[in-house]
Amino acid sequence: MSFFINCVFGNDNPDNYSSALQSIGEQIMKKLRGSPLAVKTVGRLLGRNLTVEHWKHVLDSDLWEIGSDANDIMPALALTFHHLPEHLQLCFAFCSVFPKGHEIYMYDLIGMWIAHGYILESGTNSKTLEDLGEEYLKELNQLSLIEDHVLSLYKMHDLLHDLAQSVSQGEVCIYEGKRGKRISTNVRHLCVCGPVDLESVVRKSNSLRTLVLFGDDICSQVDLEALKRIRVLVVIDKNMQEFPKVVTHLKHLRYLDFSRSSIKCVPESLSRLCQLRVLKLPQLDALPGLFHSLINLRTLLFFPVDHSNYQDVFLWENLYEVKKEGGYRIAQLRNMNQLCRRLEIRGLENIDNKEEARKANLKEKRLIKFLKLCWKDSVGADCTRGVQEEVFEGLQPHHNLKHLEIQGYMGSKSPSWLWTTPAALQMLTSIELVGCRNWSRLPPSIGLLPFLEYLELKGMENITIVGDDTVTMIFPSLKKLKLNELASVSFEGLSLSSSSSSSSTRQQQPGVANCFLFLNISESINVM
């Protein structure tokens, strides 16, 4: 009962609510068969609406009668599903397309929901589809219908997986080649595991929207021309070495994941898939010349062949490396203005000048909130400090950017879009500068950013934080300043008389170290 009360009320005091709820709650508890899973799901369902009417409706539901025996908790789980809004019912049922115990990264799942139209963007809502998908996932997680794990990985409890398969009414199916296993003719989402006669399986349905394939050489068994309406295609097969050319004719395809294959090249016709929103591939030898025409991409990831932990790659979301050969030019990103959330660009030492850098068109990528720009920590004949400064100048991001990380930049100057006052990036909340050894002066505009909460300087030489002596305080919102592997830090353009020279002023800013009198840091300074 104490666990039930905690699931229902959380930190609230149950005595603050109607005494009638206690009586109804005790009756509901008896129906939960002492199962912690049932207590969590039904308890949190009750906690969403703490009214007698809602609780009585749950108690009197006909779904309690569907149990096959006295220990069956499926009625309790079905009851929670029944009270979900339709869009969450669709998302929940779809989760069972993966085998029991399978862990899936949150944005992979959300990307598949988006591909199937389960997430609808409101005309008056400024949130992206991915933002709404996070809210959907959070709701399912709060009801314990899906469990969260480390690294933003999620999976379903086996009993909830059974429930999701049941409520899908044959539209979701996992086929393992077992004798007697029947596939509904109206199956829409199919997962195939192990060696099976895949072509005969697929041809039993002409309405497939999702196909997930696990196993060696499994993709070669099926004629993908039968998948004209497919929207999500995932192949997990390290032995697959050739890109199935017929895939490029799947004009409705929105989600394509071949990242866990051994493909080395893709056909030029891949660029025809103009509906693609998510594209995940292994590191390729070359890109198609018209790769930039995939204008609806929201997630782009090339899986590094030398990376030992696949799960770590999930956190990159959008990862692109500029190369001298193979068509991996920065200009391939120019039309991909729907890329969202995180974007990491490596190999910037392979860009020759500012004009080429501008072809990335970062200024138009309004959905990118976290941008990481990476140079190799070296300067060679083809990439002088002056060239790096020019390239940095040409990589101005959209003014919506919230997080900026610069790694390995060997220039000494800040780009003009960081120097201007007011700064072009007014929405920034964090800046990380790592291994930028020659960058010696932080411009005063950074100290005037109104929402900057986190600033990290690591692996730099003699760094000067330049202030503006016309203002009484810089870094007005800064909560944490992290200094790591620095030779020295100094300040310039700050007047003691105009800010915090007196002891009384120091008392108004508790916790500020003597060497940071000008910084309004409310939490901590980390010096390492």
Side-chain angles (χ1 to χ4, degrees):
M1 178 58 77
S2 62
F3 180 51
F4 175 75
I5 290 173
N6 179 263
C7 290
V8 174
F9 296 100
N11 295 325
D12 288 350
N13 186 351
D15 294 337
N16 295 334
Y17 298 90
S18 169
S19 59
L21 293 182
Q22 180 178 350
S23 175
I24 300 173
E26 290 174 352
Q27 296 177 67
I28 292 175
M29 267 293 296
K30 295 177 182 178
K31 295 177 176 291
L32 300 180
R33 317 295 188 190
S35 164
L37 178 61
V39 169
K40 277 201 301 183
T41 55
V42 175
R44 290 176 179 175
L45 170 65
L46 296 172
R48 292 161 68 92
N49 189 347
L50 296 168
T51 64
V52 172
E53 291 77 14
H54 175 61
W55 284 36
K56 195 74 168 60
H57 180 65
V58 171
L59 176 63
D60 295 337
S61 173
D62 293 337
L63 291 172
W64 293 113
E65 307 303 323
I66 67 174
S68 59
D69 58 63
N71 296 316
D72 191 356
I73 69 166
M74 197 59 73
L77 304 182
L79 187 69
T80 304
F81 170 81
H82 177 73
H83 281 82
L84 291 176
E86 183 179 3
H87 62 277
L88 288 184
Q89 289 183 349
L90 290 170
C91 292
F92 171 75
F94 178 81
C95 292
S96 64
V97 73
F98 296 96
K100 289 181 178 179
H102 180 80
E103 295 180 335
I104 183 169
Y105 174 56
M106 63 180 297
Y107 282 115
D108 281 352
L109 184 56
I110 291 170
M112 294 178 193
W113 287 347
I114 293 173
H116 292 303
Y118 297 159
I119 300 175
L120 301 178
E121 196 168 22
S122 170
T124 59
N125 198 330
S126 60
K127 296 179 180 179
T128 65
L129 292 172
E130 288 76 12
D131 293 335
L132 295 173
E134 286 188 58
E135 294 180 2
Y136 289 12
L137 193 56
K138 184 178 180 180
E139 284 191 71
L140 292 175
N141 178 245
Q142 287 175 340
L143 288 168
S144 296
L145 294 176
I146 189 167
E147 304 170 5
D148 60 320
H149 290 260
V150 295
L151 292 176
S152 301
L153 295 172
Y154 286 77
K155 72 175 183 179
M156 300 187 82
H157 188 282
D158 286 356
L159 289 175
L160 289 166
H161 191 282
D162 291 338
L163 173 65
Q165 287 269 307
S166 174
V167 298
S168 74
Q169 299 179 338
E171 289 193 354
V172 180
C173 178
I174 298 177
Y175 188 78
E176 298 172 313
K178 295 180 180 179
R179 289 186 177 181
K181 174 74 173 182
R182 299 185 62 185
I183 297 180
S184 170
T185 56
N186 63 334
V187 64
R188 296 170 67 87
H189 311 293
L190 176 63
C191 175
V192 180
C193 305
V196 295
D197 182 3
L198 185 57
E199 186 168 356
S200 64
V201 171
V202 170
R203 288 192 178 277
K204 290 184 179 181
S205 172
N206 59 5
S207 58
L208 273 183
R209 297 294 186 273
T210 302
L211 181 59
V212 179
L213 304 177
F214 287 85
D216 297 341
D217 297 320
I218 199 168
C219 194
S220 62
Q221 300 178 34
V222 65
D223 179 4
L224 291 178
E225 290 186 355
L227 307 176
K228 292 295 187 182
R229 300 179 182 179
I230 204 81
R231 292 190 174 193
V232 174
L233 179 59
V234 179
V235 176
I236 301 174
D237 178 8
K238 272 297 180 183
N239 290 333
M240 187 171 76
Q241 298 184 358
E242 294 187 6
F243 189 94
K245 292 184 179 180
V246 71
V247 170
T248 62
H249 297 285
L250 305 180
K251 61 181 180 180
H252 298 294
L253 194 62
R254 299 183 180 183
Y255 188 108
L256 178 61
D257 184 356
F258 284 173
S259 60
R260 282 160 284 187
S261 71
S262 298
I263 292 171
K264 294 298 183 183
C265 62
V266 297
E268 185 70 38
S269 52
L270 175 71
S271 304
R272 299 174 186 167
L273 299 178
C274 58
Q275 295 297 323
L276 267 184
R277 294 171 178 261
V278 176
L279 178 60
K280 296 191 173 189
L281 296 169
Q283 194 66 249
L284 305 174
D285 292 337
L287 288 183
L290 297 177
F291 190 72
H292 56 82
S293 63
L294 298 176
I295 60 174
N296 286 310
L297 277 185
R298 300 174 76 88
T299 299
L300 171 64
L301 177 61
F302 294 103
F303 183 87
V305 293
D306 58 345
H307 203 278
S308 59
N309 190 344
Y310 180 82
Q311 293 180 351
D312 289 348
V313 183
F314 289 140
L315 301 179
W316 295 334
E317 296 183 38
N318 293 299
L319 174 62
Y320 187 82
E321 183 171 359
V322 181
K323 301 178 182 179
K324 288 290 188 182
E325 300 177 351
Y328 284 90
R329 308 304 297 173
I330 193 71
Q332 293 282 22
L333 299 177
R334 64 182 180 272
N335 297 327
M336 299 179 184
N337 293 334
Q338 296 302 308
L339 293 176
C340 61
R341 297 186 306 276
R342 296 173 60 98
L343 174 60
E344 178 175 345
I345 306 178
R346 299 178 178 180
L348 294 177
E349 68 278 359
N350 293 316
I351 301 178
D352 296 329
N353 50 57
K354 179 170 62 176
E355 288 67 31
E356 184 181 351
R358 282 178 174 167
K359 291 178 182 178
N361 206 18
L362 296 185
K363 199 173 181 179
E364 299 300 321
K365 293 174 174 41
R366 61 182 181 85
L367 300 179
I368 294 296
K369 303 301 181 186
F370 186 112
L371 178 64
K372 183 175 180 179
L373 302 175
C374 304
W375 285 262
K376 284 187 177 177
D377 190 3
S378 62
V379 177
D382 296 332
C383 186
T384 64
R385 293 178 183 177
V387 169
Q388 290 201 16
E389 290 171 357
E390 281 193 29
V391 169
F392 200 4
E393 181 68 35
L395 294 173
Q396 179 175 351
H398 192 276
H399 58 78
N400 283 346
L401 192 72
K402 291 189 175 182
H403 309 277
L404 176 63
E405 181 176 350
I406 309 298
Q407 190 173 89
Y409 171 59
M410 289 291 103
S412 59
K413 296 193 304 184
S414 305
S416 63
W417 44 268
L418 270 182
W419 192 271
T420 56
T421 304
L425 305 179
Q426 288 285 295
M427 303 305 293
L428 277 176
T429 61
S430 75
I431 297 177
E432 298 177 49
L433 308 180
V434 180
C436 304
R437 302 187 184 283
N438 299 314
W439 197 347
S440 58
R441 296 168 65 84
L442 289 189
S445 54
I446 290 182
L448 301 179
L449 290 169
F451 305 114
L452 189 68
E453 297 181 353
Y454 179 81
L455 175 61
E456 177 178 359
L457 309 177
K458 178 179 179 180
M460 303 176 74
E461 299 296 337
N462 302 313
I463 186 71
T464 298
I465 297 177
V466 181
D468 185 338
D469 56 11
T470 65
V471 299
T472 59
M473 184 171 294
I474 61 174
F475 298 101
S477 300
L478 199 65
K479 294 181 179 179
K480 187 169 185 178
L481 173 64
K482 186 173 183 179
L483 307 178
N484 193 349
E485 301 174 15
L486 303 183
S488 67
V489 181
S490 59
F491 294 86
E492 181 182 301
L494 300 172
S495 171
L496 282 173
S497 60
S498 65
S499 55
S500 48
S501 58
S502 68
S503 60
S504 61
T505 305
R506 294 184 193 183
Q507 292 172 359
Q508 294 171 4
Q509 300 175 12
V512 179
N514 289 337
C515 58
F516 297 104
L517 293 176
F518 304 96
L519 309 184
N520 180 27
I521 303 176
S522 61
E523 290 185 3
S524 62
I525 301 172
N526 231 353
V527 183
M528 303 176 67

